[in-house]
Amino acid sequence: MAKVIVVTSGKGGVGKTTTSASFSSGLAMRGNRTVVIDFDVGLRNLDLIMGCERRVVYDIINVINGEVSLKQALIKDKNCDNLYILPASQTRDKDALNLEGVERILNELKETFDFIVCDSPAGIESGAFTAMYFADEALIVTNPEVSSVRDSDRILGILAAKSKRAVEGLEPVKEHLLVTRYDPKRVNTGAMLSVVDIQEILRIPLLGVIPESESVLQASNSGTPAIHLDKSDVAEAYRDVVGRFMGEELPMRFINEKAGFFKRLLGGH
Amino acid sequence: MSMIAGLIDYLRGNEKKSAVVAKERLQIILAHERAGRGTATPDYLPALQEELMAVIAKYIHIDRDSFKVQLEKHDQYDVLELNITLPDKKNSRQ
């Protein structure tokens, strides 16, 4: 049975699209037939992060309006065989995205794919609502920063009250916390909320921690999802996230300060 | 953290770390926001309280503080709760 996963946060700029790109790539790298949908109508960016911006011909609104088939609009990822991208429209407005149309598309996608990853826009308005409405599971992307944590809490409230699963009284949407832009050094000096603090406040299971890293910018500059970068902590962290999502028990990494040169020399950790 | 950093902290007068402040502020505001979520107070509640109080005040002398109107949401039904503490007999209007 295909699973619909929304990547959401409320707040903008916390790493939803970066996460959607890497998470969907990670699922596909493990052999899962995966599609990632950009729900940010008017401000599409997933195509840039995935490096397929020049291959976009049709978008989700064209499919909803019946102008083209789903097959025509799906773009095959350049890095993974099992991954497809459904871009958002850049010219239309958010109202073009209606629940009936989205449900129709999701049902059609469920016939071919194992995982449908929905990259939500920021905010709590119609675009974000539509992205989360049909979700079976949710990745709540949160930065260790007060406004992001508060917005995540708000999103959790909406998932629990207004998602299709909530409205129809089905089993609730399964929530996963993903802390991004984490800096263990600043956590240790008491200048940043720790992952334990965030978990204690939001009270949902932790799926992973993505360290703050220059490689995220490097990845977006080149249009390659960060999970593909060699020797990068971010890539490793995203691979762990996908592994845990698939049910593997992996220890949390990148939550402690890296040992400096001298510490390593002395055998410290 | 190193001992030196700890010592500096101690000498500074054990200043509260900003992450601790952040956590406390979040816990307070979210407790407040969660309480209001779903059970958002309807717009008419303050007006209803005023009118009810005016009616009751015609017959019994009551304090503003001894009068509470609350709307509680349950799964299948909502409860409108009026809680009026009547004054002691000796103080009440005859």
Side-chain angles (χ1 to χ4, degrees), chain A residues 43-113:
Chain A
L43 291 169
R44 86 167 165 229
N45 274 322
L46 181 68
D47 54 337
L48 267 182
I49 301 302
M50 304 286 297
C52 65
E53 69 277 9
R54 297 185 47 163
R55 290 190 286 144
V56 177
V57 183
Y58 302 114
D59 57 60
I60 187 168
I61 305 296
N62 294 130
V63 183
I64 286 182
N65 292 345
E67 293 152 15
V68 298
S69 72
L70 199 46
K71 214 174 170 185
Q72 284 173 287
L74 287 176
I75 301 168
K76 197 184 164 302
D77 183 55
K78 60 181 182 187
N79 293 301
C80 308
D81 279 342
N82 296 309
L83 183 60
Y84 288 82
I85 300 127
L86 181 57
S89 169
Q90 182 70 327
T91 50
R92 312 294 253 282
D93 60 74
K94 285 194 172 67
D95 301 328
L97 206 63
N98 58 66
L99 282 181
E100 298 76 39
V102 171
E103 183 166 36
R104 206 162 9 92
I105 290 181
L106 291 178
N107 285 339
E108 199 179 329
L109 289 171
K110 280 180 184 175
E111 290 169 15
T112 344
F113 292 96

Side-chain angles (χ1 to χ4, degrees), chain B residues 26-84:
Chain B
L26 273 169
Q27 280 170 327
I28 293 166
I29 187 67
L30 291 184
H32 187 253
E33 287 179 351
R34 282 171 188 155
R37 190 181 293 160
T39 58
T41 316
D43 299 343
Y44 59 77
L45 218 56
L48 176 73
Q49 175 162 349
E50 285 303 312
E51 288 179 36
L52 283 172
M53 218 155 64
V55 172
I56 292 163
K58 276 189 194 172
Y59 305 93
I60 313 165
H61 181 75
I62 48 164
D63 268 352
R64 183 165 276 270
D65 295 339
S66 58
F67 191 99
K68 287 205 174 68
V69 179
Q70 266 184 322
L71 192 70
E72 267 182 40
K73 290 223 173 193
H74 295 263
D75 286 346
Q76 306 290 326
Y77 55 92
D78 297 351
V79 174
L80 180 68
E81 187 183 298
L82 301 187
N83 197 332
I84 309 162

Side-chain angles (χ1 to χ4, degrees), chain A residues 144 177 179 182 187 193-200 206 208-209 255:
Chain A
L177 175 63
V179 177
Y182 198 66
V187 171
L193 286 166
S194 74
V195 68
V196 176
D197 290 339
I198 299 171
Q199 226 192 327
E200 205 176 297
L206 180 66
V209 178
I255 52 174

